[in-house]
Amino acid sequence: MSFSWTRVRAIAVKELRDYRRNRFVIGTMTVLPLLFIILPLIQVFHTYAHVHSSNLNLHVGASMLYMLVIPAFMPSTLSAYSVVGEREQGTLEPVLITPIRREELLIAKALAAFVPTLGIAYLVFGIFLAAAAFFANPVIASAIFSGTHVLLQLLFTPLLAGWGIWVGIAVSARSTDVRSAQQLSVLGTLPLLAILALISLNVIAVSAGLAVGLAAVLLAIDLLAWRAVAAMFDRERLITGRSA
Amino acid sequence: MTTEPATQVTSRGEPITEASALDGSKGESALVVEHLTKHFGERVAFDDVSFEVGYGEVFGFLGPNGAGKTTTVRTLGTLLAPTSGSATVAGIELRPENGSAIRSRISIMPESPGLYLRLTVRENLECFAGLYELDDVRARIERALRAINLEDRAGDQCGSLSKGLRQRVALARALLNDPAVLFLDEPTSGLDPVASREVHGLIASLRERGVTIFLTTHRLEEAERLCHRVAILNTTLRLIGRPDELRDQLFSRSLDVRVRSPLEDPTAVLGGLPGVKGWAHAPSGYTLAVSDPEIAAPQVARALVGAGVDILSIAESRHSLEDVYLELIDEDVEARRR
């Protein structure tokens, strides 16, 4: 039986419907973006007015970093629930009984976390850029739009989300309860976020070319992570907690 | 037992499936299990299990908790890999590479309904129709809902349904893909008597429609009422056959005789009667071991009347499936003690 997008769609639609009616998910999807748009905007419109122009680039990087927290934490929290949460509710076994292949189930779970995350992260970033372009001090706006800040944000948002998703699903597949899965998966995204923090804060200076190169490396890591998670997504392990 | 595939129809006479069993299934067995074994490390879940189930048959799989019933279902449903042995499920050999094909031809209703509680009944069924890549989803869902009499609750969130109704939705979900074999794992577990009776009614109607059902349960009256044949599992397969065959196999046939006052010399009256192999005292009379109750009963009645005894009743002893089950499980417990 070949890969079926119909089955992927069935699970992804189900997940999105479930998110829409889950207060915890709605809360995460609302509070986190609100928090991480308000802080950078306060910095742009208030704090940076007092910052010396030589340090402006550093502060703009810090603001951008806030917005990378959204693709780092939101999908890892969602995907950490995806396996262990279903196992706790008894809904995993009926799905595994159907013809769905593990690659299809994985892609469906990943898409369901990826699509809303990417939408929200880019929306928040768009609002930030629009606010900066139209209402911020031209010097500050120039600092935001010059250099690699925007490119880094655009490139690393989906890649960071991808990493968060695979870490979340991997942890979820091995966990016995939702809460510890969510805590562990957030921890799992921290190393990558730390590297991006060093880049955003100019500790590691990157050109546009280097940023694209780093994004390619991160894409390769995401693909490897997908293969690794697919390998551990064994029906017997998911049902019994042990491999055949 | 091998029967031809039957077309499922709803209680209103509409087909749920065009031909429930698949084309290649005609004349074959729905399940063929040979020396199947499953170990989890050192622990034996079930060992050397062999049986066959025909198309259209309702096959009961009985056993105490931990006997390996659910593990057997999960193994045949390709969720667990067998340690050894072989099986053919719905005409397909049980191998890892056939997992998806087997799962598309069967359905398993697990002990817990496993519904998405924030989704409506219809949304749950839509999701599974997609997983089976079914055509004409809307009509199929309508028919499945009609079959379980839940059309009017299609828009309700599953979280708002009672346990019995959730079990019915799970049954509708299991019927969506017109399975060649439907596995029901403890379908009435945790249900109150009214909800259990409703589920029994649904299973009985599926049986009438010729759906092949593999029913695991430890409710013996359920198996006796619904199943053509039963197997008793306690890690190994202990017995298999029709409930009445199992009774005959384990218990000799006997007559319960109730009389107003005891006989002075029972041996003289009952001992030499044709077809009576022995007798024993019972609380209000005698229990006679007989070769054929229909031949022995009139002889016994005549002898007792001839001896001037007032007969209250003469009846064949009925051993229930529960007696069979308890006898076997007790034997196992005794064997383990030794």
Side-chain angles (χ1 to χ4, degrees):
Chain A
M1 242 179 232
S2 55
F3 190 93
S4 162
W5 284 104
T6 307
R7 288 195 284 262
V8 170
R9 185 177 173 278
I11 289 291
V13 167
K14 180 274 294 176
E15 295 272 314
L16 292 172
R17 280 174 169 163
D18 203 40
Y19 290 165
R20 224 172 50 207
R21 292 166 200 167
N22 185 331
R23 265 184 271 172
F24 169 76
V25 172
I26 293 295
T28 307
M29 285 186 176
T30 314
V31 173
L32 206 62
L34 265 180
L35 189 67
F36 290 108
I37 183 75
I38 290 171
L39 286 171
L41 286 178
I42 289 174
Q43 289 176 326
V44 165
F45 291 105
H46 179 69
T47 317
Y48 295 169
H50 313 292
V51 170
H52 192 271
S53 60
S54 60
N55 287 332
L56 199 54
N57 204 34
L58 180 71
H59 285 81
V60 166
S63 298
M64 299 293 201
L65 187 61
Y66 278 124
M67 282 175 284
L68 280 180
V69 173
I70 298 170
F73 288 171
M74 191 190 285
S76 63
T77 311
L78 291 178
S79 54
Y81 175 86
S82 63
V83 180
V84 68
E86 288 223 28
R87 191 160 48 204
E88 275 184 4
Q89 291 197 352
T91 51
L92 187 60
E93 189 170 347
V95 170
L96 295 177
I97 286 161
T98 69
I100 194 164
R101 295 152 60 107
R102 61 181 170 187
E103 294 83 358
E104 293 162 355
L105 187 54
L106 267 178
I107 292 286
K109 294 268 183 193
L111 276 177
F114 186 78
V115 170
T117 299
L118 201 64
I120 290 170
Y122 277 156
L123 177 70
V124 165
F125 188 51
I127 292 170
F128 175 81
L129 290 183
F134 292 114
F135 306 112
N137 180 317
V139 177
I140 296 169
S142 165
I144 290 169
F145 286 98
S146 65
T148 55
H149 292 304
V150 175
L151 178 69
L152 281 173
Q153 201 78 21
L154 290 175
L155 281 178
F156 286 122
T157 293
L159 297 170
L160 196 56
W163 172 256
I165 285 166
W166 298 130
V167 169
I169 293 178
V171 170
S172 189
R174 298 283 178 120
S175 291
T176 51
D177 73 283
V178 174
R179 194 164 297 184
S180 62
Q182 287 175 331
Q183 288 165 352
L184 280 173
S185 62
V186 167
L187 277 179
T189 59
L190 288 182
L192 206 53
L193 199 59
I195 294 170
L196 293 177
L198 295 176
I199 296 171
S200 297
L201 299 174
N202 264 350
V203 177
I204 303 172
V206 290
S207 62
L210 187 58
V212 172
L214 282 172
V217 171
L218 193 49
L219 180 65
I221 290 173
D222 278 352
L223 292 173
L224 284 175
W226 175 56
R227 297 309 307 166
V229 174
M232 61 197 278
F233 220 66
D234 166 62
R235 276 182 158 76
E236 180 147 348
R237 180 182 285 281
L238 294 176
I239 293 282
T240 64
R242 60 206 300 177
S243 56
Chain B
M1 176 177 164
T2 303
T3 49
E4 291 197 355
T7 299
Q8 297 176 34
V9 286
T10 66
S11 52
R12 297 180 191 180
E14 297 165 320
I16 283 182
T17 115
E18 294 187 355
S20 133
L22 298 149
D23 298 341
S25 63
K26 211 169 182 178
E28 296 171 1
S29 291
L31 285 172
V32 181
V33 177
E34 289 174 333
H35 308 293
L36 205 65
T37 297
K38 177 66 185 174
H39 293 185
F40 293 110
E42 294 293 302
R43 190 171 73 78
V44 179
F46 60 84
D47 189 42
D48 196 24
V49 170
S50 300
F51 59 85
E52 264 186 57
V53 178
Y55 280 102
E57 184 176 5
V58 179
F59 187 79
F61 211 52
L62 314 180
N65 292 332
K69 304 185 299 289
T70 298
T71 308
T72 306
V73 169
R74 286 173 169 174
T75 305
L76 294 175
T78 75
L79 295 180
L80 307 178
T83 306
S84 62
S86 63
T88 304
V89 181
I92 306 171
E93 203 177 336
L94 185 66
R95 288 165 166 273
E97 62 269 28
N98 293 339
S100 202
I102 289 174
R103 288 194 300 275
S104 69
R105 295 172 78 162
I106 63 169
S107 261
I108 302 178
M109 183 176 131
E111 188 174 342
S112 154
L115 302 171
Y116 296 105
L117 300 183
R118 280 184 284 267
L119 268 57
T120 65
V121 171
R122 183 183 302 284
E123 287 168 345
N124 267 277
L125 297 181
E126 278 172 1
C127 172
F128 281 81
L131 291 176
Y132 285 106
E133 298 186 284
L134 301 175
D135 301 326
D136 199 11
V137 171
R138 187 183 291 260
R140 270 179 188 269
I141 289 174
E142 294 303 325
R143 286 200 295 266
L145 287 173
R146 259 201 300 277
I148 58 156
N149 301 318
L150 267 186
E151 308 112 288
D152 54 335
R153 306 296 295 269
D156 289 8
Q157 275 197 0
C158 287
S160 69
L161 301 179
S162 67
K163 205 167 180 185
L165 290 183
R166 287 181 196 177
Q167 206 72 348
R168 280 161 65 177
V169 176
L171 191 55
R173 181 184 65 197
L175 291 171
L176 269 181
N177 66 322
D178 301 332
V181 186
L182 173 60
F183 292 88
L184 303 177
D185 191 8
E186 306 275 5
T188 55
S189 173
L191 297 187
D192 63 38
V194 174
S196 293
R197 195 173 60 186
E198 286 175 359
V199 172
H200 286 165
L202 290 170
I203 297 170
S205 67
L206 292 174
R207 173 184 151 135
E208 281 166 25
R209 295 167 204 166
V211 179
T212 308
I213 297 174
F214 187 94
L215 172 75
T216 79
T217 182
H218 55 244
R219 292 192 174 187
L220 302 164
E221 79 288 353
E222 183 171 280
E224 189 150 29
R225 186 177 148 197
L226 297 170
C227 300
H228 294 110
R229 285 190 309 144
V230 296
I232 298 178
L233 180 80
N234 198 7
T235 309
T236 56
L237 204 59
R238 302 288 282 107
L239 264 186
I240 185 165
R242 292 200 313 271
D244 55 340
E245 282 176 350
L246 300 188
R247 277 193 289 266
D248 292 348
Q249 216 169 314
L250 274 187
F251 300 102
S252 58
R253 303 184 79 181
S254 58
L255 288 176
D256 287 330
V257 177
R258 289 176 63 229
V259 290
R260 190 175 297 282
S261 54
L263 289 164
E264 283 181 11
D265 185 2
T267 310
V269 178
L270 303 170
L273 292 175
V276 177
K277 296 192 278 190
W279 64 273
H281 282 288
S284 56
Y286 305 92
T287 299
L288 311 183
V290 297
S291 46
D292 185 344
E294 286 184 16
I295 294 172
Q299 306 274 0
V300 171
R302 274 194 288 272
L304 289 172
V305 170
V309 175
D310 292 337
I311 303 170
L312 297 179
S313 67
I314 299 177
E316 185 181 356
S317 301
R318 297 293 300 176
H319 288 284
S320 65
L321 188 57
E322 186 170 350
D323 296 328
V324 174
Y325 177 88
L326 292 174
E327 179 79 11
L328 282 172
I329 302 306
D330 285 348
E331 276 178 20
D332 287 350
V333 171
E334 283 298 315
R336 278 179 200 144
R337 274 196 199 133
R338 285 196 294 270

